[in-house]
Amino acid sequence: MSWSNTKRARSGYARPVVSRRGFLGATLAAGGGTLAVPPGFVFAEASRFGARQCPDPFGGGRLLGTLPLSGRRAVEHPLGKMLGEGLDARLAVDLSTLTPETLVTPTDRFFVRTDVPTGLDARRPWTIRVRGLVRNDLDLGLDSLAPLVVPMGVHLMECAGNNNPANFGLMSAASWAGIPLERVLERAHPLPSATRVLVSGMDAQPGRSRSSLPDASWVFSLADIERGRPFLATEMNGTPLERVHGAPVRLLMPRWYGCASIKWVTDIEFMDDSAASTAHMREFARRTHQDGIPERAIDFKPASIDLAAMPVRVEKWRVDGSIRYRVVGIVWGGDGITDSFQIGFTPDDTYAPLDVCPRPRTNDTWSLWSYAWRPQNPGYYQILLRVGDRSIPTRRLDLYFYIRGVQVDEV
């Protein structure tokens, strides 16, 4: 693999931060006159997906409220509040409040999976050690890397253990700036035998964790790095990275589960294909859809997030004297772009097309969708999503992982 200027230019690192202005409103409020459109017509963020506006079947109606979503094994706990400490710390986001103007999560509300390690002193000069199969061992101070910091755009991050159907709130999106990892790696002049890169961080905690192992680290192939374009993040939402989110520097691997985006990066090591998988990788093997728990890093598949979708709220409306419902949700993940979504309301239901309008242009972050729904009878409904193009990997959707339910009492 060549770490050349030509390849960097082709990769296009300095992607602009997207604007969220110009989106057709009415996700939470009524719009203009009533429009005759088919059920299932979807609204999307015009600023990211194009300028074309989409009709609103709830125009002229009145929002009566929202219905709570639930699910099997749901655990209710405060949202937006840190629970636990150290490796057991968790802060979940309230996704039910997402609107077109809040798709970038404020830093103080961004989800947390692991709190600041004991002994971290972000005030001292921070050095990243680069070792292994290289011609030059390096000790890189962050000050020396500062001129390489560029805007990286908006990226979503999701915890691989995001499994609580009460909220599925261990995911967020932020605007990042940082140093493309390739720019750092090329300084060490790796040997021809180097095929993999181990990135390690500082997260040791005193005492025994109930849920996690210390010493977060992940081994990436050079192909993973070239394809995924990871970066060392130093800024988040326009300000320096905060300690709880990995300051002074963390890795961010776009479109991979958060377990691979190592916080508090201290070490980078070039390795060959004999490298063992780390304890951290083995801990998350099942959650990242590995075949068993591989002992070698070469046998690990990328911890990538497949294309996924789920509802985040169900709105109850009165339109032209009738009760109607709008299911609002998000779509994220995957390597390709598609608008071929389908929605159903029981496992045996006939799925209806969920037309995304306009078609998404990026999968670096999430997108909002909505569906006009008129249930025939009161009752409890399960909301299921799938992708019509069955060639697209959707492992968690296939397992009904993000299934959520809603009780409807009035139709």
Side-chain angles (χ1 to χ4, degrees):
M1 176 179 179
S2 171
W3 307 94
S4 67
N5 291 332
T6 301
K7 177 165 62 62
R8 289 201 306 272
R10 187 175 67 246
S11 298
Y13 282 113
R15 289 172 287 179
V17 177
V18 295
S19 167
R20 291 173 287 119
R21 294 184 177 274
F23 178 75
L24 177 63
T27 296
L28 289 175
T34 302
L35 298 171
V37 296
F41 212 87
V42 176
F43 306 88
E45 187 186 0
S47 59
R48 286 203 303 115
F49 307 123
R52 182 164 68 92
Q53 294 186 343
C54 302
D56 182 4
F58 295 85
R62 183 164 62 95
L63 178 62
L64 304 178
T66 59
L67 307 183
L69 291 166
S70 61
R72 186 182 179 193
R73 298 195 180 108
V75 178
E76 298 291 341
H77 57 70
L79 299 176
K81 178 180 179 181
M82 186 77 80
L83 304 175
E85 58 185 14
L87 295 174
D88 297 320
R90 303 290 187 273
L91 186 152
V93 179
D94 185 359
L95 299 182
S96 70
T97 64
L98 282 176
T99 70
E101 295 302 321
T102 60
L103 291 178
V104 173
T105 312
T107 301
D108 61 348
R109 300 180 193 172
F110 198 95
F111 89 91
V112 174
R113 168 61 171 74
T114 302
D115 203 357
V116 180
T118 302
L120 176 70
D121 184 359
R123 297 170 299 178
R124 67 175 176 82
W126 193 268
T127 299
I128 299 176
R129 295 178 293 271
V130 184
R131 300 286 190 271
L133 300 175
V134 297
R135 292 187 175 89
N136 302 316
D137 287 350
L138 299 175
D139 293 298
L140 299 174
L142 280 188
D143 289 345
S144 69
L145 297 175
L148 303 179
V149 173
V150 293
M152 300 305 299
V154 177
H155 291 275
L156 174 140
M157 191 180 301
E158 180 185 12
C159 176
N162 186 26
N163 61 1
N164 184 358
N167 51 75
F168 287 112
L170 293 181
M171 60 189 306
S172 303
S175 176
W176 305 87
I179 306 145
L181 184 59
E182 288 185 354
R183 299 292 304 275
V184 176
L185 300 182
E186 66 187 2
R187 290 189 169 197
H189 300 289
L191 300 175
S193 56
T195 57
R196 299 187 178 270
V197 174
L198 169 68
V199 179
S200 303
M202 171 186 178
D203 71 346
Q205 302 280 2
R208 186 178 181 85
S209 167
R210 300 188 305 274
S211 60
S212 300
L213 298 174
D215 301 321
S217 57
W218 205 275
V219 179
F220 303 91
S221 71
L222 297 187
D224 291 336
I225 294 170
E226 184 173 16
R227 181 172 52 249
R229 295 179 294 174
F231 56 94
L232 297 174
T234 58
E235 298 177 18
M236 182 179 182
N237 291 334
T239 61
L241 197 64
E242 295 188 357
R243 294 204 309 165
V244 73
H245 296 302
V249 59
R250 72 169 301 163
L251 181 72
L252 196 145
M253 172 59 93
R255 298 186 299 279
W256 282 35
Y257 287 108
C259 52
S261 290
I262 305 301
K263 294 182 180 180
W264 310 294
V265 172
T266 56
D267 292 270
I268 295 173
E269 182 179 355
F270 280 89
M271 313 175 86
D272 60 24
D273 285 344
S274 67
S277 59
T278 67
H280 182 74
M281 295 169 70
R282 294 191 292 273
E283 176 185 356
F284 288 93
R286 290 190 176 89
R287 299 178 197 175
T288 57
H289 308 286
Q290 305 300 323
D291 296 325
I293 306 178
E295 292 297 321
R296 299 190 307 161
I298 194 174
D299 295 323
F300 261 76
K301 296 177 291 189
S304 53
I305 302 173
D306 285 352
L307 186 65
M310 72 173 173
V312 297
R313 66 176 175 272
V314 175
E315 301 169 359
K316 182 178 179 180
W317 288 76
R318 184 176 298 279
V319 181
D320 293 337
S322 300
I323 296 296
R324 299 185 186 181
Y325 294 89
R326 173 153 65 190
V327 185
V328 179
I330 53 175
V331 58
W332 73 100
D335 289 326
I337 302 297
T338 183
D339 55 2
S340 175
F341 293 95
Q342 299 174 343
I343 188 169
F345 292 92
T346 69
D348 299 324
D349 198 4
T350 299
Y351 282 72
L354 185 66
D355 299 322
V356 178
C357 171
R359 189 174 187 267
R361 292 181 177 176
T362 179
N363 54 2
D364 285 338
T365 185
W366 49 24
S367 312
L368 279 177
W369 54 263
S370 67
Y371 180 81
W373 179 39
R374 300 190 72 172
Q376 297 298 309
N377 301 294
Y380 181 78
Y381 291 86
Q382 293 178 314
I383 305 172
L384 304 95
L385 285 304
R386 72 183 186 189
V387 177
D389 184 349
R390 305 309 292 166
S391 68
I392 297 175
T394 54
R395 288 169 292 188
R396 291 200 172 188
L397 286 185
D398 296 343
L399 296 170
Y400 300 112
F401 189 92
Y402 296 106
I403 189 172
R404 306 184 79 180
V406 62
Q407 177 66 39
V408 174
D409 295 327
E410 185 179 7
V411 297

